[in-house]
Amino acid sequence: MNNIELSDSKLVSLYIKGNEESFEVLLNRYKSKVFTNIYLIVKDTYIAEDLTQDTFIKAIKTLRSGRYNEEGKFKPWVLRIAHNLAIDHFRRNKRYPTIVMEDGSNVFNTLEFSEAPYENFQVQEDTKKKLRSFIEELPENQREVILMRHYQEMSFQDIAESTDVSINTALGRMRYALINLRKKMKQHKIAYDSNIYPT
Amino acid sequence: MIQTFTQLDLIRFIYNETTNEQHRNIELALLCNNELMEEYKSLKLTVNSLHKVSYTPSNSTIENILNYSKSSNLSSV
């Protein structure tokens, strides 16, 4: 299936008619956004995995039952399901769980990266690991704005509203986050990727 | 040169959240100000590095979801 050509609305329509492949396209299209949305609230990858599964299963049930009436707006609908499930979980537990994993590894160990064929694989992997740890080391409010802007594709206005700060505060947090990451990259001699140098 | 925008506007520029007029003004300022251009390049490259990272659930979670979808499709036939 050519998922570039098909809109969410078309994929939903095909799925409701029984086309399984169309749901797989939707899942691949939004799994990262859903996962990130949940992770930002529960801050635990294991719980985020479970709630991601719950989110899509709830979406499947609604689509199969014929109760879906979002007029083609699948993305905000599925993200709202994810958000509500994460908030419900948070309220049930009445506190944020810790980020430390059972094996002592950090939460970013479950992250995946896009491939870059021009780099040596091992160097690339090492760079990714360092980048993950740098993001994790950022102050919470700076890490949050990076996650929201980069992985949830929220605008700075949306981030400001979501975190109850002014847009200048959100922009300032992003600026400091980028500066801090840049410093860490320099300290650890992580080379910038010249293939993505701005034109 | 009179700076008509702030460092925060540079962040907006990098993330394409400026108006067309702001965008043109910042582009002009970057061409006229080497220090500002270096700052822009540095921030932009850091942003681009972040594009390598994405959060995603595990393959087993994806398989569970797809298996549920298939089983629910069969049961509805």
Side-chain angles (χ1 to χ4, degrees), chain A residues 80-95:
Chain A
R80 195 160 60 247
I81 294 173
H83 182 82
N84 289 342
L85 287 175
I87 292 294
D88 286 347
H89 175 87
F90 170 67
R91 284 176 179 157
R92 278 199 304 274
N93 290 275
K94 295 181 180 175
R95 65 178 179 83

Side-chain angles (χ1 to χ4, degrees), chain B residues 52-71:
Chain B
K52 291 182 174 182
V53 184
S54 69
Y55 287 84
T56 190
S58 66
N59 289 335
S60 64
T61 295
I62 298 303
E63 283 173 18
N64 288 343
I65 295 166
L66 292 174
N67 287 337
Y68 177 84
S69 177
K70 284 169 188 165
S71 65

Side-chain angles (χ1 to χ4, degrees), chain A residues 78-142:
Chain A
V78 77
L79 286 175
R80 195 160 60 247
I81 294 173
H83 182 82
N84 289 342
L85 287 175
I87 292 294
D88 286 347
H89 175 87
F90 170 67
R91 284 176 179 157
R92 278 199 304 274
N93 290 275
K94 295 181 180 175
R95 65 178 179 83
Y96 282 114
T98 58
I99 300 175
V100 178
M101 312 302 283
E102 286 181 357
D103 63 356
S105 62
N106 70 52
V107 71
F108 288 91
N109 286 349
T110 60
L111 304 186
E112 290 183 358
F113 295 83
S114 59
E115 293 302 319
Y118 50 84
E119 280 185 319
N120 172 277
F121 181 77
Q122 191 55 50
V123 171
Q124 185 183 326
E125 289 304 304
D126 290 345
T127 300
K128 289 168 182 174
K129 282 180 185 173
K130 284 179 181 170
L131 273 172
R132 289 193 299 239
S133 67
F134 297 161
I135 295 171
E136 188 183 12
E137 289 167 7
L138 288 172
E140 173 66 22
N141 58 18
Q142 292 175 25

